[in-house]
Structure formats: C-alpha cells, structure tokens
Amino acid sequence: MSEREVLELLRENARYSTADIARMTDLEETEVEAVIEELESAGVVRGYKAVVDWDKLEDETVRAEVELNVELDRETGYGDIAERLARFPQVKALRLVSGDYDFDMEVEGDSIREVSMFVSEKVAPVPEITQTVTHYVMTSYKEQGIELGDGDEDDRLSFSP
Amino acid sequence: MTFELAERVQTVPPSGIRRFFEIAEERDDVISLGVGEPDFSTPWTARDAAIASLEQGKTSYTANRGKRELREAIADYAADRFALGYGPAEEIIVTAGASEAVDLAFRAFVDPGDTVAIAQPSYISYEPGVIFAGGEPLAVPTREEDEFRLTVDALETAGAADAEMLVLCYPNNPTGAIMREEDLEPIAEFAREHDLIVLSDEIYAELTYEGEHTSIATLPGMRERTIVFNGFSKAHAMTGLRLGYALGPADAIGAMNKIHQYTMLSAPTTAQYAALEALDSCDDEVREMIDQYDRRRRFVLSRFREIGMNVFEAKGAFYCFPEVPEGFTAEEFAEDVLREQGVAVVPGDVFGAGGDGHLRVSYATGLPELREAMNRIEAFVDEHA
Ligand SMILES: Cc1ncc(COP(=O)(O)O)c(C=O)c1O
C-alpha cells in the first residue's frame, strides 16, 4: 500500500524530497527511503527525468512519431527488431502497439533533416521493416500527464469565507 | 439623500476578512492560505454538461424546488453516501448555494426575538443570517481540549436549552473538526429534550479523511427536527456555479420553498445540469480531489508540528487550525505574517467564540505553494517567537 502511495507521489513529482513524501504519507523518512530503494532495485522505477516544454526553449529540437510496419520471419521476432531499434540514441520511446501498424517510435533530433535522414538511412533499411510513416510533432499540449502552456492561473480572491 | 439602514443590517459588523484583503492587495507575491474554496476546477464532464445545456438553449427557469431529475439524483446520492432518506418530491429543495438554503431556513423558522444557538468557531454567515431574520444568535464555544467537538456541557453553559434552534457545521469550517456518531448522540438527546430545531450544514461531508461522515439527522428522533444542508461547492469544486440543497421533512422544506419561490424562483438552470452530471459521473474526480486534500492535510499538519506550533489534528474539510505562538494575538500574527512574508491566513477570531488565538489555514492550494508558504511561516516564527 505505502509502495503504491510513494510511487504515485514520485510520478506526480520525482523531486519531492523524502521528507515531503514522509509528511504526506505519515511514513517515517527512513521508511520512504527504503520504499524508494526497493522500487528502484526491483526495476519498477527505471529513472527520473524532467518534463520539458520544448516550445519554451530557444534552440530547436525536432521530434517525430514514427509508425513502423514489420514483417516477421521464422528467425526474427518483434523483440529482436525492437532491440535493434532501441539502441539508437535518437529513439526516445519505442512501443509495440495494436492496430494499423506495429511499432510506435518517438525520435528526436536537431533538425527535420537529421530526423528524416535517421529514419531513411538507419530505420527503413532494417530488412523486416516494410513501411515507415513519420509524423513531425508541431505543438505539444501535454507530456507525461503534465499539461503544458499557461492555462492554470489561480484567479481566486486571496480571502474567502 | 442617505439611506437609513434597517437596524438589522446596521447591527452586523463588516466582515473581519476585509481588512486583510486590502493588505494582501498591496503585495504581488502573496501565497494565499486564506481561501474557503477548492483550487481544482469543476470536473470536465460536469462543465461539458453545463455547456451542452446552454447549446440546447436550456435557459428557462426550472421547477421552484429544482429539476425533478436532479432532486432524484440528490435523493439517491444522500441515501447511498450518508444513509439520509428523503423524497425528491417534497423533502428536497435545490438552492443557489448552500448559503441560500441556510438563509431560507433562518427566515422560515426564526421569529423576531428567537434565540439561535450556533456551535462556534464556525462559518461566518450564520450569525448575520440569524440577525437578518430578526433572531438572536447565541454563541456556543467549542474548545480545542474537546477536539473542537460540541459537547452538552458547552450547550448547557451557554444557555442553549432555551434556544429555538441549533446550528451545527461538521466537518467544520474553520477548525476541520468532525463529529462522530458517538459525539452526536448526546447532542441529539439535548435537542430532543429541549425541542430544538437543528440546522446541520454538512457541505464538507465528503471531505472526511478518517472514517465516514455521520449526519445527525440519521439518529433516532432527529429526522423530524433537522434540516440538512449540502451542495456542490466543495467536494465537486463548483463554488462559482452556486448550487446547493436542503433535505428535511416536507412541511419544513415547503416553508423554505415558499420564500425561495418569491425571491430566487429557482436555482441557476445551467448549474443544475452540471450538478446532475457531477452526481452521475464524477465520483472518480471527487475521490482524486479528496486524496489530494488528504496528502496536503498531512503535509501541513506535519510542517506545523516541525515549526513548533501547536496544531489541532483536523480530520475534515480543507482547513487546519494552528494556535499562534505566545506573545501574539491571532490578528497580529495574521497581519504580520501577511505583511512580512506574504502569506495570507485568517485569524480565528473571525469565526466566533473559541476561535481566538488560532489561525485558519486552508490547504486548498497546490503543494508547491503550500511548501513555500510553510517555509515562510517557519521563517516568520523563527524570527519572532
Ligand atoms: C460551512 C459552509 N457552509 C456553506 C458555505 C457556502 O456554500 P455555497 O457555496 O454552497 O453557498 C461555505 C463556504 O465556505 C461553508 O464553509
């Protein structure tokens, strides 16, 4: 139970201090530390990252969602293809999905050209891949559960009954 | 010419919160823990229902008592959640906020000169409401030693046995106190013995963090003498939509409706559509908001203890009620911490007898702001206490 609670809080904000989490859950700080350590060593928590609103930064980062279709043969499974693709540092997320295509891949690069080259020169030539469709991200409104943009100013009065 | 105010209106002093509001206006970095309303927005599906009703041109008055469908939904909700069995046809009235319902009750049942006992500290509108109705408020102070629960002892000491009516507000604004069934039983007995009408403002009922809320109306012999108030402002984050309701015996609700039909006609129609949807499909959102409040509650209580301020273990609503350090009155503390640190809290005196020496601290504010506000309070206390 406390594991779930701590996990939820970390997902809300990975930078909550263990002291804050302890205050919110009525656990001892040492217990919170132990739970987090356990979550990390069991591989439930795989890492901590910042959620970035790229539109707020000057330098351009180009992101694309790439749909991949594959044709499997006797020797090759989805896992083999995934393993090969996941190694590329340009690939930020890779998921096997149901529906019209097989893999859903997030790619990041410094320019549209760079991302296009990556897809056409590194991904498309993989023998099992039969088709790629690249969607460039134009604007992001929500990332990892966090709404981007400035929509939530608090215009309540400072006092109310 | 000048308007000569009616004496009833003159008697009521200006709200104790106003002066602080003016100070807060002078700074632009104020973190407000002074609010009595959720920081969440109304759940989307409820907003969508309101929008859809507007698109369909549903902008006429409804039945005086509120849309039949909504009263049915309220009846089901009250029965399921709080074991309150009331019929939608005659025992429920939908109003413009619980505020209107409370006012209707005062006007319907208080005769000039009638005494209305009010368990305090409590929500600031009851006393003026009684006075506007021509009645006389009687303060019944609750004490921190009793966990701010109302006791028969307090009722007797205050002379509530001679009152016509008793007003309860649990979970309580401003203390966050709750009354469990065993705490309510002796109060119910007192009310029966002295033939008191009980007005029970249960607008924070959903925001009960330990155990389940019990309504005094569910105790033996209490249904026939109690009016229960609730609404959508708090748990459903709908303050601005202005929708509340009252549950009570048919005669009593009928009397309230008599006033309502000549003054308000009916509660806002758009809000009634939102409320219907809120009851129908927003349980998960309500649950999520309650979880968030609970985390913040623990956080704030724990921080006050670390700071070394005595704090009452609030178990309901979204307030906690710390004691100010020695050497301060609540007013002084609230004013100085606002001027020096830009943290807005409300002095407990505002809420009536028993509130002095305390602060109402609302945690209906995001955790990052709460954390910063608590750090500033800590800095203030370190410097001055
Ligand atoms: C105890 C209590 N009752 C009633 C209200 C007002 O509720 P409504 O918005 O439904 O009029 C409040 C608001 O702060 C409150 O604290």
Side-chain angles (χ1 to χ4, degrees):
Chain A
M1 188 57 223
S2 57
E3 207 172 55
R4 187 88 210 190
E5 237 180 320
V6 171
L7 192 55
E8 238 173 71
L9 286 165
L10 286 177
R11 288 198 61 197
E12 187 176 292
N13 184 346
R15 295 198 56 175
Y16 282 145
S17 64
T18 47
D20 281 354
I21 294 175
R23 290 177 185 120
M24 286 184 262
T25 53
D26 284 349
L27 295 172
E28 295 295 324
E29 215 177 316
T30 50
E31 291 176 282
V32 174
E33 275 161 16
V35 171
I36 293 176
E37 225 172 87
E38 173 59 28
L39 286 167
E40 288 172 357
S41 64
V44 177
V45 171
R46 311 294 292 216
Y48 303 91
K49 293 205 166 187
V51 179
V52 177
D53 186 348
W54 290 104
D55 293 346
K56 289 247 162 70
L57 280 183
E58 293 296 321
D59 55 331
E60 197 192 8
T61 294
V62 172
R63 289 184 304 148
E65 310 274 339
V66 185
E67 303 172 5
L68 301 178
N69 272 304
V70 300
E71 208 166 272
L72 300 179
D73 56 37
R74 233 173 263 228
E75 281 88 55
T76 326
Y78 287 121
D80 301 310
I81 301 167
E83 203 178 329
R84 184 161 169 189
L85 293 171
R87 273 198 209 114
F88 292 112
Q90 292 92 330
V91 174
K92 299 301 171 190
L94 182 67
R95 306 179 183 98
L96 182 66
V97 296
S98 64
D100 290 343
Y101 51 94
D102 300 308
F103 285 102
D104 173 18
M105 181 169 81
E106 282 176 37
V107 179
E108 227 172 80
D110 288 340
S111 64
I112 292 191
R113 194 184 135 74
E114 193 187 302
V115 172
S116 309
M117 298 283 282
F118 170 68
V119 174
S120 60
E121 290 181 2
K122 304 282 194 222
V123 180
V126 173
E128 294 81 7
I129 292 180
T130 55
Q131 194 188 22
T132 71
V133 180
T134 305
H135 305 272
Y136 288 99
V137 174
M138 300 202 288
T139 306
S140 183
Y141 300 101
K142 191 171 185 179
E143 291 286 344
Q144 295 169 60
I146 295 181
E147 284 187 52
L148 310 180
D150 304 314
D152 56 357
E153 295 122 42
D154 187 349
D155 60 356
R156 294 178 299 165
L157 300 172
S158 45
F159 289 95
S160 65
Chain B
M1 76 162 269
T2 54
F3 288 94
E4 185 141 337
L5 298 188
E7 207 184 302
R8 301 189 301 288
V9 180
Q10 278 182 39
T11 320
V12 173
S15 159
I17 299 181
R18 206 178 55 186
R19 190 168 62 87
F20 286 86
F21 187 71
E22 278 154 20
I23 304 171
E25 292 285 270
E26 293 164 15
R27 296 181 58 129
D28 57 6
D29 65 338
V30 171
I31 300 180
S32 181
L33 311 183
V35 289
E37 63 176 322
D39 59 320
F40 300 104
S41 299
T42 308
W44 253 117
T45 52
R47 282 189 266 167
D48 277 340
I51 294 165
S53 77
L54 288 171
E55 282 173 345
Q56 290 157 17
K58 293 178 175 165
T59 52
S60 317
Y61 297 129
T62 66
N64 295 129
R65 290 160 185 263
K67 276 175 64 61
R68 173 78 193 209
E69 248 180 306
L70 176 58
R71 278 180 282 141
E72 279 166 3
I74 289 169
D76 290 345
Y77 165 81
D80 289 352
R81 286 293 286 116
F82 306 115
L84 292 162
Y86 290 87
E90 296 192 299
E91 297 182 320
I92 298 177
I93 183 168
V94 179
T95 53
S99 304
E100 193 219 342
V102 172
D103 182 54
L104 290 176
F106 288 141
R107 288 199 283 159
F109 313 123
V110 174
D111 270 321
D114 278 358
T115 301
V116 177
I118 302 170
Q120 292 182 354
S122 70
Y123 180 51
I124 60 178
S125 297
Y126 306 133
E127 267 191 16
V130 169
I131 294 169
F132 292 145
E136 289 178 15
L138 173 73
V140 183
T142 61
R143 303 178 311 162
E144 179 150 13
E145 300 92 281
D146 302 321
E147 299 179 9
F148 290 110
R149 290 173 296 191
L150 178 62
T151 61
V152 168
D153 203 27
L155 285 167
E156 275 166 355
T157 309
D162 297 326
E164 256 64 45
M165 191 183 269
L166 171 63
V167 182
L168 303 177
C169 172
Y170 297 98
N172 183 266
N173 172 7
T175 61
I178 59 172
M179 294 273 281
R180 302 196 188 286
E181 187 167 350
E182 60 269 28
D183 305 321
L184 289 168
E185 271 158 4
I187 306 302
E189 192 182 323
F190 184 91
R192 289 191 302 263
E193 192 179 329
H194 300 286
D195 201 21
L196 301 179
I197 292 177
V198 175
L199 302 189
S200 185
D201 185 342
E202 300 176 22
I203 196 158
Y204 294 103
E206 285 276 10
L207 309 184
T208 300
Y209 306 105
E210 287 177 27
E212 283 288 318
H213 171 77
T214 301
S215 172
I216 192 166
T218 59
L219 301 187
M222 291 308 291
R223 190 185 191 279
E224 54 264 43
R225 60 176 66 253
T226 306
I227 310 284
V228 176
F229 304 94
N230 206 328
F232 297 88
S233 285
K234 311 297 174 177
H236 294 91
M238 281 174 50
T239 45
L241 287 159
R242 309 305 307 125
L243 211 69
Y245 53 89
L247 312 171
D251 288 355
I253 295 296
M256 288 164 63
N257 188 40
K258 196 166 181 178
I259 304 170
H260 174 77
Q261 71 183 352
Y262 290 120
T263 52
M264 191 62 69
L265 280 78
S266 62
T269 300
T270 311
Q272 293 190 49
Y273 282 98
L276 193 52
E277 184 65 25
L279 289 181
D280 202 41
S281 73
C282 298
D283 289 0
D284 289 348
E285 285 92 334
V286 171
R287 192 71 254 154
E288 176 56 30
M289 290 189 274
I290 295 170
D291 284 351
Q292 294 273 358
Y293 289 135
D294 191 18
R295 278 185 205 147
R296 298 167 181 185
R297 176 183 72 102
R298 293 161 194 253
F299 176 82
V300 171
L301 288 175
S302 147
R303 285 294 281 128
F304 272 119
R305 290 192 193 107
E306 286 165 356
I307 291 169
M309 282 169 76
N310 210 354
V311 63
F312 164 67
E313 175 92 29
K315 295 204 165 80
F318 38 56
Y319 309 104
C320 70
F321 208 58
E323 216 173 291
V324 295
E326 241 171 89
F328 282 99
T329 66
E331 287 260 336
E332 285 162 358
F333 189 98
E335 183 167 339
D336 291 354
V337 81
L338 177 55
R339 281 193 200 283
E340 290 180 28
Q341 294 285 348
V343 178
V345 296
V346 186
D349 315 64
V350 169
F351 303 94
D356 54 318
H358 289 79
L359 305 169
R360 187 190 74 175
V361 174
S362 162
Y363 48 84
T365 291
L367 257 171
E369 291 82 24
L370 278 179
R371 182 169 12 169
E372 171 63 19
M374 295 309 298
N375 290 346
R376 293 189 195 180
I377 292 174
E378 184 166 41
F380 179 84
V381 171
D382 284 350
E383 188 176 339
H384 297 285

